[in-house]
Amino acid sequence: MSDLNIKPTHKPIKTYYVKLEKYAQLGEENEGTVRAAFQNLLQHYCHQSDFILLCEKNRAAYDTGIQGDDRRIRPDGEVVDTFGLPHGYWEAKDTQDNLHSKASKKFAAGYPSKNIVVQSPTHALLYQDGQLQLDVDIIDPRNLVRMLQTFFA
């Protein structure tokens, strides 16, 4: 993908945390609400990298090893280039979700593990080439930046 110069002091990073704080003040912690903050952050950095973030795109499940498996998946986000080729995926979860358990279930269902962020407002997992690369507390902006840079690298 590309190397982005992202810093904890950049406006999109600060805006992400401001939005999460506003959601928290309203008592909103469910995935459907809080994922908008991360979606906006991804869209910003996709734009800088000449990528496009497609949300809720239905697609065939990746190879699950089951002959004739025609299941469909719908990641919360798919980062694609101008030709529509996928470069990364994103899956949002609730604050209280166990991300490791949720990620395992998604992979068993055929979600790609080549470059995918599974995140809640407080935590993120980054899998690349089927391996867990980062398991970080993204309450700390430095960890959020490191995760984004690795995802887009």
Side-chain angles (χ1 to χ4, degrees):
M1 291 171 58
S2 70
D3 292 325
L4 290 174
N5 178 21
I6 309 171
K7 297 193 183 319
T9 56
H10 286 172
K11 185 176 179 181
I13 300 294
K14 288 183 173 185
T15 300
Y16 170 74
Y17 289 108
V18 167
K19 286 182 181 183
L20 287 180
E21 180 60 32
K22 288 181 181 180
Y23 293 144
Q25 288 171 357
L26 295 170
E28 295 296 329
E29 295 181 344
N30 68 28
E31 173 189 333
T33 300
V34 298
R35 79 180 195 164
F38 197 81
Q39 179 179 332
N40 290 339
L41 191 61
L42 278 181
Q43 283 177 326
H44 175 81
Y45 290 112
C46 280
H47 179 71
Q48 282 193 356
S49 301
D50 292 325
F51 289 116
I52 301 161
L53 178 64
L54 304 175
C55 294
E56 303 276 342
K57 178 182 174 188
N58 265 321
R59 62 178 304 116
Y62 278 73
D63 185 11
T64 59
I66 301 169
Q67 187 79 7
D69 188 357
D70 60 355
R71 290 185 288 170
R72 307 291 294 170
I73 61 170
R74 186 173 30 192
D76 289 312
E78 182 175 347
V79 175
V80 301
D81 62 20
T82 55
F83 299 104
L85 298 173
H87 290 269
Y89 301 88
W90 159 58
E91 188 62 29
K93 296 294 163 209
D94 293 335
T95 302
Q96 70 278 2
D97 283 342
N98 177 320
L99 294 185
H100 293 279
S101 172
K102 295 289 186 177
S104 293
K105 288 178 183 175
K106 292 293 184 179
F107 297 146
Y111 276 66
S113 61
K114 183 173 175 147
N115 189 32
I116 185 170
V117 173
V118 180
Q119 63 80 220
S120 74
T122 60
H123 204 95
L125 306 176
L126 175 62
Y127 289 86
Q128 292 180 320
D129 297 318
Q131 300 294 316
L132 180 61
Q133 295 298 317
L134 289 174
D135 180 347
V136 291
D137 174 351
I138 58 173
I139 291 173
D140 182 338
R142 293 171 298 185
N143 289 336
L144 175 63
V145 166
R146 184 168 58 128
M147 188 273 306
L148 288 168
Q149 287 173 327
T150 306
F151 176 72
F152 280 100

